[in-house]
Amino acid sequence: MLIYNTLTKKKEEFKPLNPPNVGMYVCGPTVYDYFHIGNARSFVMGDIIRQYLIYKGYNVKYVMNLTDIDDKIIRKANEEGVPTQEIAERYSKAFFEDIAKLKIKPADVYPKATEHIAEIQDLIKKLEERGIAYNINGEVFYDVLKFDEYGKLSGKKIDELESGARIEINDLKKNPLDFSLWKKAKPDEPKWGSPWGEGRPGWHVECSAMSMKHLGETFDIHAGGHDLIFPHHENEIAQSEGATGKPFVNYWIHFGFLNFQNEKMSKSLGNFFTTRDILKVHSAESIRLFFGQTHYASPLSFSDELLSNAEKALVKIKNFLETLEENIRSAKEDDSYPEFNIQDYYDRFEQAMDDDFNTPQAIASIFDLIRDVNKILNSGEQFGVTFYEDIKEFLLRTAEGVLGILPSLESGTMADTEFTDKLLQILIDIRLKAKQEKNYALADEIRNRLNELGFVLLDGKDGTKIRREQ
Ligand code: AMP
Ligand code: ZN
């Protein structure tokens, strides 16, 4: 299995440290708002990679951090006049709800920065002992010049960075590239006691401390969006390797941006849609299929049209599944099997995924199987149940188990139900207006037409209720 490693800038054979165990860390959300569909791309692709490793037989420990203390959280808390903890809790809860709706399987651990203050401080102390960190009046900085390999992940050189760096109004630092490990407490900000005085941790050091605590000082895979290569991941390497003297991570994976209007979708640019809102109109499967149709490292442009196309492609899968289920019920009671080699499709799926998780090709192998099996189903000839069960198992293991794109055969997705409810409410409102305007013909027509679709309207004291007749 080949993985493109940002650190070595080439595709490398994947060799875990302790097979079959694999440690994988993905930078998670800063919980100050609902996450957008650009963040969702990174979370979904991380999930798919993890599921494929499990498919291959690895025992994956998957860790995703929650940044629950930082400037953005503090700003939001101040705007609303509530404690930072309330903001972090509210949006952590929303994060878990939304990833579940996206069919992302829960991580094994979701470490929070505020619950790892001791580990973070230990790491800073080690850096200080090794002379790599310096404390100026309660602000502790990382001294990048003390880490020879600084820049090895991003390919940036310190002198070039220095000349390009904007001169910050922070004359405490020895070098403009030095970054905060421990931030001195400002009035009215959450703070923790420390050997350097009251304060709070910097963002980069959280991820170093939490990943090493849960996966060890050296672990297999670290992933995140492309924007995190520099400075976040570069700094994580400097901190971890600076403190332990050991390699920190063997494979670095970076997800390409989801762009909108030719720019990276981001909160600060304002060109974003929350995942929560997109899920009201599109199913999780269509979002996952849309992401999966592009390689994880390539940029991808967001458009509603592409999501709708994915939705249409899913209808094909759904129809196919329904036909398959019918065939399972009416299969012949013998072991007749058509000329069909399912192994070829597994091989194609695996070859694609083994080549740096090439999901577009893996998805193509699934649609090819559907096309080829449809020919057999449409021929009118029936076979023993094993054939149909084999096809179903293939879809369950690949399309569902790894990619999470198999639509459920129940009456509709969550998104469909919510959407239908909203449409129904519009009709009820119009009918009420018609009645108020004494247009009883229109009011009755709305009632009758909905009745034909199996909805019964019940007028009562508190307005109109709807009952679904099955
Ligand atoms: P944040 O909450 O901003 O720290 O981001 C959470 C994760 O989403 C990180 O791994 C980011 O790199 C990733 N991310 C942010 N914006 C995008 C985007 N437009 N496309 C893909 N990934 C993104
Ligand atoms: Zn991180």
Side-chain angles (χ1 to χ4, degrees):
M1 192 170 110
L2 297 175
I3 299 185
Y4 179 85
N5 188 351
T6 312
L7 186 63
T8 56
K9 290 158 197 68
K10 44 179 197 272
K11 277 188 198 173
E12 290 176 9
E13 185 62 35
F14 180 54
K15 293 196 194 100
L17 282 166
N18 301 305
N21 299 328
V22 170
M24 180 167 177
Y25 185 92
V26 180
C27 288
T30 305
V31 280
Y32 73 108
D33 209 336
Y34 299 112
F35 66 89
H36 60 65
I37 196 77
N39 302 129
R41 183 184 186 199
S42 288
F43 302 150
V44 167
M45 296 319 285
D47 181 51
I48 290 177
I49 290 176
R50 171 200 192 188
Q51 297 312 325
Y52 186 61
L53 292 168
I54 294 173
Y55 171 101
K56 293 281 281 185
Y58 291 115
N59 175 20
V60 185
K61 179 165 179 188
Y62 192 78
V63 181
M64 180 175 276
N65 69 299
L66 300 184
T67 299
D68 62 346
I69 181 69
D70 104 318
D71 291 342
K72 289 179 256 181
I73 299 176
I74 295 173
R75 201 177 315 133
K76 181 101 173 191
N78 288 343
E79 275 165 25
E80 289 193 19
V82 297
T84 49
Q85 207 185 344
E86 189 175 320
I87 298 290
E89 276 168 15
R90 184 195 308 157
Y91 293 106
S92 300
K93 186 167 166 276
F95 167 76
F96 290 124
E97 286 166 4
D98 292 351
I99 59 165
K101 282 195 198 150
L102 273 178
K103 291 172 62 170
I104 292 176
K105 303 248 167 43
D108 297 291
V109 195
Y110 287 106
K112 293 179 183 162
T114 56
E115 289 171 3
H116 290 75
I117 300 291
E119 289 82 357
I120 293 170
Q121 293 188 354
D122 284 348
L123 186 61
I124 302 174
K125 277 185 234 161
K126 264 195 209 146
L127 290 169
E128 222 181 9
E129 279 159 26
R130 291 183 153 224
I132 309 177
Y134 57 93
N135 168 11
I136 298 185
N137 301 331
E139 295 270 347
V140 185
F141 296 103
Y142 188 97
D143 190 344
V144 295
L145 291 180
K146 294 274 171 62
F147 185 65
D148 289 345
E149 292 178 300
Y150 194 77
K152 69 175 171 179
L153 180 72
S154 57
K156 294 183 192 287
K157 302 219 163 43
I158 291 196
D159 43 357
E160 285 167 16
L161 280 170
E162 275 174 354
S163 59
R166 266 179 289 149
I167 307 301
E168 286 181 40
I169 316 181
N170 189 340
D171 48 5
L172 295 178
K173 288 200 270 188
K174 292 205 268 182
N175 183 309
L177 296 179
D178 294 350
F179 54 91
S180 286
L181 295 167
W182 188 257
K183 292 170 185 262
K184 189 174 174 166
K186 294 197 189 110
D188 300 329
E189 280 188 3
K191 50 182 177 280
W192 288 264
S194 85
W196 317 282
E198 289 187 322
R200 63 185 166 95
W203 170 40
H204 313 300
V205 74
E206 283 174 22
C207 277
S208 278
M210 296 194 284
S211 60
M212 291 197 292
K213 153 132 196 222
H214 294 284
L215 296 170
E217 290 180 340
T218 305
F219 62 91
D220 298 299
I221 302 175
H222 194 315
H226 210 264
D227 51 336
L228 301 185
I229 297 176
F230 188 86
H232 186 53
H233 291 163
E234 192 71 66
N235 291 351
E236 276 189 47
I237 294 177
Q239 293 160 158
S240 300
E241 299 191 357
T244 67
K246 296 178 195 159
F248 174 43
V249 168
N250 287 340
Y251 302 86
W252 285 91
I253 295 180
H254 289 98
F255 308 117
F257 292 147
L258 184 75
N259 295 323
F260 185 58
Q261 295 167 333
N262 300 320
E263 277 183 293
K264 177 196 163 200
M265 187 180 281
S266 83
K267 194 86 206 318
S268 53
L269 288 174
N271 61 342
F272 68 95
F273 298 96
T274 64
T275 304
R276 191 158 270 232
D277 282 345
I278 299 287
L279 275 165
K280 289 180 185 152
V281 221
H282 295 286
S283 63
E285 291 85 6
S286 62
I287 297 171
R288 297 179 68 110
L289 178 61
F290 163 65
F291 289 153
Q293 281 166 331
T294 297
H295 186 257
Y296 74 80
S298 306
L300 168 63
S301 284
F302 175 81
S303 87
D304 206 50
E305 196 189 335
L306 289 173
L307 271 176
S308 300
N309 289 346
E311 204 88 61
K312 283 182 203 135
L314 285 173
V315 174
K316 270 194 214 158
I317 306 189
K318 192 165 179 173
N319 291 340
F320 178 77
L321 277 177
E322 272 162 5
T323 318
L324 196 64
E325 289 295 347
E326 276 166 34
N327 278 278
I328 288 177
R329 284 192 290 272
S330 61
K332 282 168 78 173
E333 285 183 18
D334 59 20
D335 55 3
S336 54
Y337 206 96
E339 217 171 284
F340 186 84
N341 188 357
I342 196 148
Q343 193 53 43
D344 289 348
Y345 297 86
Y346 277 109
D347 290 348
R348 279 187 54 199
F349 177 81
E350 288 169 25
Q351 272 159 19
M353 291 301 282
D354 281 347
D355 184 13
D356 192 28
F357 313 105
N358 191 332
T359 50
Q361 278 187 24
I363 291 170
S365 74
I366 294 172
F367 278 100
D368 285 352
L369 171 127
I370 292 178
R371 183 199 57 206
D372 298 344
V373 174
N374 255 329
K375 282 188 203 142
I376 299 175
L377 300 182
N378 292 336
S379 72
E381 203 178 333
Q382 291 254 301
F383 299 93
V385 76
T386 320
F387 169 61
Y388 307 110
E389 297 279 13
D390 282 354
I391 303 297
K392 189 173 169 185
E393 189 189 337
F394 174 86
L395 291 176
L396 287 177
R397 290 187 57 204
T398 59
E400 187 58 11
V402 175
L403 301 166
I405 57 169
L406 216 56
S408 91
L409 288 184
E410 280 141 36
S411 54
T413 59
M414 275 291 291
D416 290 342
T417 320
E418 261 187 69
F419 187 63
T420 312
D421 286 347
K422 285 191 180 150
L423 284 180
L424 285 172
Q425 195 54 49
I426 292 175
L427 287 169
I428 289 173
D429 293 347
I430 295 174
R431 177 168 165 269
L432 180 67
K433 231 172 157 183
K435 279 188 5 184
Q436 283 162 351
E437 290 167 5
K438 303 204 184 323
N439 187 348
Y440 298 110
L442 179 61
D444 287 346
E445 184 176 351
I446 293 174
R447 172 202 287 278
N448 295 338
R449 297 283 294 272
L450 284 174
N451 235 317
E452 283 165 22
L453 293 176
F455 297 105
V456 182
L457 301 191
L458 308 164
D459 293 321
K461 279 204 303 292
D462 325 319
T464 305
K465 294 223 161 48
I466 295 191
R467 204 177 65 219
R468 277 164 216 254
E469 300 255 291
Q470 284 309 317

